[in-house]
Amino acid sequence: MFSVEEGSSGSEMDDEITGDGSTTSLSRWVFDEKNDYDDDYDDDEDYDERQHLDSDEEEDDNVEQRLIRTSPAVDSFDVDALEIPGAQKNDIEDSSIGRKLVLALQTLGVVFGDIGTSPLYTFSVMFNRSPINDKEDVIGALSLVIYTLILLPLVKYVFFVLWANDDGEGGTFALYSLICRHANVSLIPNQLPSDARISGFGLKVPSPELERSLIIKEKLEASMVLKKLLLILVLAGTAMVIADAVVTPAMSVMSAIGGLKVGVGAIEQDQVLVISVSFLVILFSVQKYGASKLGLALGPALLLWFFCLAGIGIYNLAKYDSSVFRAFNPAHIYYFFKRNSVNAWYALGGCVLCATGSEAMFADLSYFSVHSIQLTFTLLVLPCLLLGYLGQAAYLSENFSHAGNAFFSSVPSFIFWPVFLISNIAALIASRAMTTATFTCIKQSIALGCFPRLKIIHTSKKFIGQIYIPVLNWFLLVVCLIVICSISNIFMIGNAYGIAELGIMMTTTILVTLIMLLIWQTNIIVVCLFAVVALGVELMFFSSVLSSVADGSWIILVFAAIMFFIMYVWNYGSKLKYETEVQKKLPMDLLRELGSNLGTIRAPGIGLLYNELAKGVPAIFGHFLTTLPAIHSMVIFVCIKYVPVPSVPQSERFLFRRVCPRSYHLFRCVARYGYKDVRKENHQAFEQILIESLEKFIRKEAQERSLESDGDNNTDSEDDTTLSRVLIAPNGSVYSLGVPLLAEHLESYMRPSEKRSSMDFGAGPSNETPALDAEQSLEKELSFIHKAKESGVVYLLGHGDIRATKDSWFLKKLVINYMYAFLRKNSRRGITNLSVPHSHLMQVGMTYMV
């Protein structure tokens, strides 16, 4: 954390002295503070006990800080210094070379199965839409495939998108989390100023030469329409990820099993369908064993598959036609469209299938590292894929009639059955790629309040990103079986596959473009080039697959729409519930009127009242006071809050704040988790950590009060109302904040009665020995906590539900009273992760009318 000292203004510091002795020009940005204590003081507690920037307490949310540009005379402040050295990073990135090679092998078994099996069906679907008329059509189609592989998986994902990870996390919600961390665009208003001081935040303030970033940030934060559009885009992309996890197993498995029709002429499509269903059931049944276990087992199998692709490709090039290398000339794409016109445009829907699995490289990033994925794709996957497609094209250039099952027809007869076996194993691996990516994406969306809570099982003790969601796994299996039974034609499934993949790709392109503008502060020419090329190519492909949506692939759009609706309803209901709880929270004047006994009997013990409010006293507490015959001698309002970072260090997990005067023994605790953190604590361990953190807070509070008292006695009485704060970063750099100390100007905003109560509270019985009184008071309070802990800890659970008022619109009643209520009833409770015995639980329900 950071320490705050009083010192000189330091306005002459225009340059920062770096570690090597050089100087770098600092931008002149300061925080403009607007104070609203007079309007909103009822919602805050004990300002005189929390005036320090480096405290783990919550800073007053009524101090609105706005970044403004100032004249050269104002102090410099480099917010990059807020990045704490040694903050949690992806441990995989720091692995040894040997470990990276093992990870590269595991990567094959988890990440690249999807894109690795694309040669099974790409040419078959393309030439089903655009039949081969001559050899040049094969060359043109091959050229399309080559440059699609270069533009989308290689250039877009490997060179750009993989670097947009959120501390090793990939996927649609990781991008959204990254944007939320740099601009306040989240629709659930539970953000706190102290969240930006988590070491994982790594927040950066735009520099003067890149004011474009600040302009975009301000427009995003000021426009509710843009916030909603951004959320809708993210939810739509996530819905497409889930849809992709349904259609990928169907396409991969049916394509592999379809090879039987080449090897055994008597096999019919219905028999292929039955065998595919059996394979899919087996596939989803072994999903629970985790990515690392199956990755090590299946990695060698997929490595053998890529070698088969390359070997078969080289064989066909040597045997049939090596002139297909002409396809590396992009002019053949133009000739292909010139000869086939509309049919060539239809063929784009099949061509995009060669890039399926590109999103899995990014979404599965939490399982592995950027370097292992980049290394494996560039040096192994891409060359093998190119050789495989070149070999198929060489075979088809002399066998036009075999385009319906291009891959298996091109396999030499003497190795057909071994290749068939390996291809089926590869298809099973490919089916897992998007499934594991979907698990990651859903976990992120749950943490950010955009999906109903589900049970999540962590399958690896070494890598916390490797997870398994049982309910989602079996749900995907059921929908997948419905899809392949209703759309038994592999060409129609291929069109649905293209719709899902392109929906994800376009979402990723838009979000990465926003990140390049807002966070990376990339040159505008590079940004425009990336956006125009990537989005232009994807829109062209998307127009092709939409033209055939009536053939049966509409079912995947319906499924994606249902998933989008579920996520939007959950986010809307959660947002409405949180806003209602904020409006209904208890005023502090009421607690003061009740007195330290809170108008009831205070029984020995500690009550942990769980609620979703990050600030303020929840209305459910008043319900406890009126319902229960007594309340615990110490009450801690616990809010488990997910912040938009992958992981929160344990030392920064808990934030405490005192509620009301000390005699009330009321505290607020915000337990912060990143969307990558594992919440598997035993309730005893959780209680122990919480109480220890509370004791540290109280000791620190007493120490800082003592330092303040010493500072007041030694301060010279000068007519200076602006003492500057000096921020000391962990590396020793000193930065001056030329703003008044909160304590210096707080008094002018306090009501007279509040000033008197503050003075009375601060006055002790023995002014002659303040240090001794402070020590005795500290020990007395710590002793009180220990006795309360010995008496027992009870979890007070307040279940707040919402119902639409009678005069609400019919649609709102339908959404809130039925849909959101159904999702909330069937979602997993947050307290479940702590495994609290029923004897330690006390629950009270409350309904809010909205």
Side-chain angles (χ1 to χ4, degrees), residues 417-593:
W417 290 110
V419 171
F420 173 78
L421 177 62
I422 297 171
S423 68
N424 277 271
I425 295 174
L428 293 176
I429 299 170
S431 303
R432 297 190 67 259
M434 280 309 301
T435 308
T436 54
T438 303
F439 291 160
T440 301
C441 193
I442 292 301
K443 181 179 186 295
Q444 295 169 354
S445 62
I446 291 173
L448 296 177
C450 296
F451 201 90
R453 290 184 292 269
L454 302 174
K455 180 180 180 180
I456 298 175
I457 298 174
H458 294 264
T459 59
S460 174
K461 295 180 179 179
K462 294 181 179 179
F463 305 115
I464 60 177
Q466 299 185 6
I467 60 173
Y468 167 69
I469 305 178
V471 173
L472 185 62
N473 182 69
W474 300 116
F475 172 72
L476 292 177
L477 171 62
V478 172
V479 178
C480 182
L481 295 180
I482 292 173
V483 168
I484 66 171
C485 291
S486 58
I487 313 177
S488 57
N489 189 330
I490 192 172
F491 304 117
M492 290 171 19
I493 295 178
N495 196 69
Y497 198 6
I499 291 174
E501 282 286 338
L502 287 167
I504 306 169
M505 288 181 180
M506 290 188 293
T507 301
T508 300
T509 299
I510 296 172
L511 293 177
V512 171
T513 300
L514 184 57
I515 287 173
M516 293 171 75
L517 291 170
L518 179 66
I519 304 171
W520 291 355
Q521 302 165 354
T522 310
N523 185 283
I524 190 66
I525 297 176
V526 177
V527 175
C528 291
L529 192 62
F530 170 82
V532 169
V533 173
L535 201 57
V537 170
E538 289 158 1
L539 284 172
M540 185 169 58
F541 283 130
F542 197 60
S543 65
S544 176
V545 295
L546 283 182
S547 65
S548 304
V549 72
D551 294 340
S553 53
W554 55 267
I555 191 171
I556 208 67
L557 286 176
V558 172
F559 174 72
I562 293 173
M563 298 309 301
F564 171 84
F565 186 72
I566 290 174
M567 289 186 288
Y568 191 82
V569 166
W570 181 263
N571 181 267
Y572 173 73
S574 301
K575 174 178 175 291
L576 201 60
K577 178 176 177 293
Y578 187 87
E579 290 175 344
T580 304
E581 289 183 340
V582 170
Q583 295 172 1
K584 301 291 185 181
K585 61 184 180 181
L586 297 180
M588 294 307 303
D589 286 345
L590 175 62
L591 295 181
R592 295 190 183 100
E593 291 174 3

Side-chain angles (χ1 to χ4, degrees), residues 283-295:
L283 165 71
F284 282 93
S285 298
V286 302
Q287 191 75 38
K288 61 183 178 181
Y289 293 108
S292 59
K293 299 182 182 71
L294 291 178

Side-chain angles (χ1 to χ4, degrees), residues 314-391:
I314 294 171
Y315 174 84
N316 286 329
L317 285 169
K319 182 177 179 180
Y320 295 102
D321 188 3
S322 61
S323 66
V324 293
F325 280 102
R326 291 184 294 131
F328 281 97
N329 181 359
H332 287 284
I333 298 176
Y334 168 75
Y335 300 143
F336 181 68
F337 276 89
K338 184 178 180 180
R339 283 190 308 272
N340 297 280
S341 60
V342 176
N343 283 340
W345 178 63
Y346 283 136
L348 290 176
C351 179
V352 73
L353 298 180
C354 73
T356 56
S358 300
E359 185 66 25
M361 286 194 294
F362 182 54
D364 281 330
L365 194 58
S366 62
Y367 292 79
F368 304 103
S369 68
V370 173
H371 292 304
S372 65
I373 293 176
Q374 288 176 324
L375 183 70
T376 307
F377 181 80
T378 307
L379 299 182
L380 176 63
V381 175
L382 184 59
C384 291
L385 287 175
L386 291 176
L387 285 172
Y389 284 116
L390 286 166

Side-chain angles (χ1 to χ4, degrees), residues 770-825:
L772 183 60
D773 285 350
E775 184 67 24
Q776 292 176 348
S777 175
L778 172 62
E779 295 302 326
K780 183 178 179 181
E781 186 165 16
L782 292 177
S783 175
F784 183 87
I785 294 175
H786 292 156
K787 290 180 180 179
K789 175 68 168 61
E790 292 173 358
S791 299
V793 177
V794 175
Y795 292 77
L796 309 175
L797 305 184
H799 298 307
D801 294 321
I802 56 174
R803 301 277 296 178
T805 56
K806 293 183 178 180
D807 56 346
S808 299
W809 290 90
F810 170 76
L811 185 60
K812 183 177 180 180
K813 290 180 180 179
L814 180 65
V815 170
I816 296 300
N817 295 350
Y818 297 97
M819 298 178 182
Y820 177 72
F822 174 80
L823 293 175
R824 186 170 175 83
K825 181 180 179 180

